[in-house]
Amino acid sequence: MLGLRRAVAALRPAVASAAAMSTLLVSQPRYAWLRELGLQEENSGVYNGLWGGGGQVVTTYCPATNEPIASVRQASLEDYEETVKKAKEAWKVWADIPAPKRGEIVRQIGDALRQKIKVLGSLVSLEMGKIFVEGVGEVQEYVDVCDYAVGLSRMIGGPILPSERPGHALIEQWNPVGLVGIITAFNFPVAVYGWNSAIAMICGNACLWKGAPTTSLTSVAVTKIIAKVLEDNKVPGAICSLVCGGADIGCIPVLGSYTNQIVLFDYYNMEIPSRNVYSDVSLEHFKRRQNRWTAMARDERMDLLSFTGSTKVGKQVALMVQERFGRSLLELGGNNAIIVFEDADLNLVIPSALFAAVGTAGQRCTTARRLFLHESIHDEVVAKLAQAYAQVRIGDPWDPDTLYGPLHTKEAVKMFLDAVEQAKQQGGSVVYGGKVINRPGNYVEPTIVTGLPHNAPIVHTETFAPILYVLKFKEEEEVFAWNNEVNQGLSSSIFTKDLGRIFRWLGPKGSDCGIVNVNIPTSGAEIGGAFGGEKHTGGGRESGSDSWKLYMRRSTCTINYSKDLPLAQGIKFQ
């Protein structure tokens, strides 16, 4: 009998493990398509030519139901060290390949993504929570950037400049920086990596990616697609390395309090108590580990660190990188405004404001959070906008008919409720929404708040949720100033037919943002332009235009092909 009891006791952990695995969505027939992306119950979160991972196992959840999808074994600091070394070695091979041939490999990555675009878009929808068409659209952005990068691979270069000295040539030479670290946020778990990696690769750089822990499955799935292309071309897989991990791998955390715990919290990058393996650590343990929570930001082998996340953490990243005289590319917060003048075409205004404020459930860095309406049209626009909000189809994000899905986490729901309450306390009136939706998952009502002054504290706070503050104005000069008075400077838009006003808006006394639009929403940027913002948004630029220059270093080269040695500025030194 004793032997039987021991045998049963020994079986319990295995039975419990099997039961836990069976609750994962990846184990259920409905989600068998996840296997097409190479995902399983537990997935390796490190790739450097080989898959591995010796760190904590973290489970990601579906925001629409809060059910567990699958787990990822994250990188340990030892894994990180090994991966950086392999990536630096891989760069030596990659940098020697001609740029057009690098572009051909990037083209193949784009084609491989095209073949998986719907299934990968479904994963983005399942794990991040954005609606299916946005998930597919995000993968399409990566594909488009790959196409763009292919052409760029035959065009990048510096000018030949006139030399003041006879028999001399003056040229600019551009070379890759080396290893580009890419830390991305949960809200665009595919596209932002694509903007960075496709351009960085054709410039001759190797990449090391750390995505948000709550979208680790997407990071793994994308890397599997890329790794296959690299392996097929017989180039080192470590050219596009992956280290899934928390703040210990990426950057320093922010101390905050949540249910009397010490927590790591950065909303964009989702270092959160319910999902973070470090959520229960004591303050003493936090202090002991703090020096290990800065690997990529402090690592001098990281020749450029691209960070997408909150302004608060981005500031710390910038300071750490600057302390070692490194390079950083920052894409941080946005408190974006739409300004509607009395001559605006309301047939453009209503759908634009709706998409900008409600799209991705208010979780885009370019989401419209402030809507300035001329006092003569304020009431009319608010009424029409409320009617439009009432027609938004809320549901499962992977349902093709759904226009509005859940917030990413339960913590985001709490932030939403806190912001609505603060808006009320500061004098605002909720004219639509403001509540949690009674259904499984992290659903809240898209919300319109009126009656607040332009400088109310909550209006100047970027809440990553679908809350739109509608504000009255009288004059052009004052509303342009109000647009610019917030700390962030990402995206902005006006609606008007006045040509003079349009050019004043685009000019030196107009919007101070990196994205300045006319008669279109604040969100939905094209890949051909440089994406980024000013002030507390970080000043970085990604994707199109001349953003490629951030991934390269410039040398000014003077070549003397004569037999004389004339000096510049006519100096005689004899």
Side-chain angles (χ1 to χ4, degrees), residues 311 330-336 484 486-492 511-516 530-541:
T311 296
L330 303 176
E331 293 289 353
L332 309 177
N335 192 346
N336 314 295
N484 297 343
V486 296
N487 288 331
Q488 302 88 344
L490 180 53
S491 187
S492 56
S511 173
D512 64 1
C513 294
I515 299 172
V516 183
F531 181 91
E534 302 298 327
K535 302 187 298 188
H536 289 209
T537 302
R541 292 297 187 275

Side-chain angles (χ1 to χ4, degrees), residues 56-70 72 74 126-129 186 212-216 245-247 258 261 263-265 267 269-280 406-414 441-442:
Q56 298 280 351
V57 176
V58 173
T59 301
T60 71
Y61 294 80
C62 171
T65 62
N66 283 317
E67 295 176 286
I69 305 170
V72 174
Q74 296 185 324
L126 183 70
E127 189 177 39
M128 184 271 152
F186 80 91
T214 52
T215 53
S216 293
Y258 180 80
Q261 295 176 330
V263 304
L264 315 178
F265 189 84
Y267 188 72
N269 298 94
M270 295 318 303
E271 309 296 345
I272 56 177
S274 66
R275 309 284 169 80
N276 197 306
V277 296
Y278 304 111
S279 59
D280 297 319
L407 293 179
H408 189 52
T409 63
K410 293 178 181 178
E411 286 70 27
V413 175
K414 297 184 181 70
N442 309 317

Side-chain angles (χ1 to χ4, degrees), residues 367-435:
T367 291
R369 310 201 182 279
R370 298 176 295 151
L371 176 61
F372 292 104
L373 300 176
H374 189 270
E375 59 183 3
S376 65
I377 59 170
H378 175 275
D379 294 348
E380 179 187 2
V381 173
V382 169
K384 289 184 175 181
L385 196 57
Q387 290 176 355
Y389 268 53
Q391 296 172 28
V392 172
R393 297 185 298 278
I394 301 170
D396 293 333
W398 48 87
D399 184 336
D401 290 331
T402 298
L403 289 179
Y404 177 90
L407 293 179
H408 189 52
T409 63
K410 293 178 181 178
E411 286 70 27
V413 175
K414 297 184 181 70
M415 291 170 64
F416 165 83
L417 290 173
D418 288 346
V420 171
E421 186 58 33
Q422 288 181 54
K424 291 177 181 177
Q425 291 174 2
Q426 293 171 26
S429 300
V430 176
V431 298
Y432 190 91
K435 303 184 188 67

Side-chain angles (χ1 to χ4, degrees), residues 11-46:
L11 282 172
R12 281 175 183 159
V15 171
S17 178
M21 290 293 188
S22 67
T23 64
L24 297 174
L25 297 185
V26 71
S27 301
Q28 299 177 18
R30 180 183 175 187
Y31 300 97
W33 52 267
L34 289 168
R35 308 281 180 177
E36 297 178 37
L37 294 167
L39 299 177
Q40 50 195 357
E41 284 76 8
E42 183 176 310
N43 302 273
S44 297
V46 177

